[in-house]
Amino acid sequence: MKRVEMEVSDGCQCGAVRYHATAIFDNSHLCHCRMCQKASGNIFAALIAAPDDGLSWTPGKPSAASAPIAARRCSSITWKTAAPT
């Protein structure tokens, strides 16, 4: 995977879960699993990965190494997983 240096900020619909990335990996893909279908309300979800050293969560960092993070107000799902080695 190639690392691409760029600034990206976004988050859930209600703003409770936010992130800022200074780098991403060039491995974007579409996931068609049931969890992604339900979370996105679509037949697929567009996903992209960012390295741990290029990603910051605001406010704070999720404590789990690999877990879905759901905003309490809007139930939007954001995934935090370990970086590939």
Side-chain angles (χ1 to χ4, degrees):
M1 243 176 300
K2 181 180 171 190
R3 181 182 174 121
V4 179
E5 301 297 325
M6 67 184 311
E7 298 274 328
V8 179
S9 294
D10 206 354
C12 69
Q13 293 177 11
C14 71
V17 177
R18 305 289 303 165
Y19 65 85
H20 179 78
T22 57
I24 61 170
F25 292 122
D26 66 346
N27 69 334
S28 61
H29 63 280
L30 302 176
C31 182
H32 294 81
C33 78
R34 285 300 289 155
M35 186 171 8
C36 285
Q37 288 176 350
K38 288 180 180 184
S40 67
N42 201 348
I43 60 171
F44 64 85
L47 305 173
I48 193 152
D52 280 342
D53 66 347
L55 182 65
S56 59
W57 294 88
T58 56
K61 183 177 182 179
S63 59
S66 180
I69 302 148
R72 292 179 189 256
R73 290 181 291 192
C74 69
S75 300
S76 293
I77 303 293
T78 305
W79 279 91
K80 195 282 186 207
T81 59
T85 56

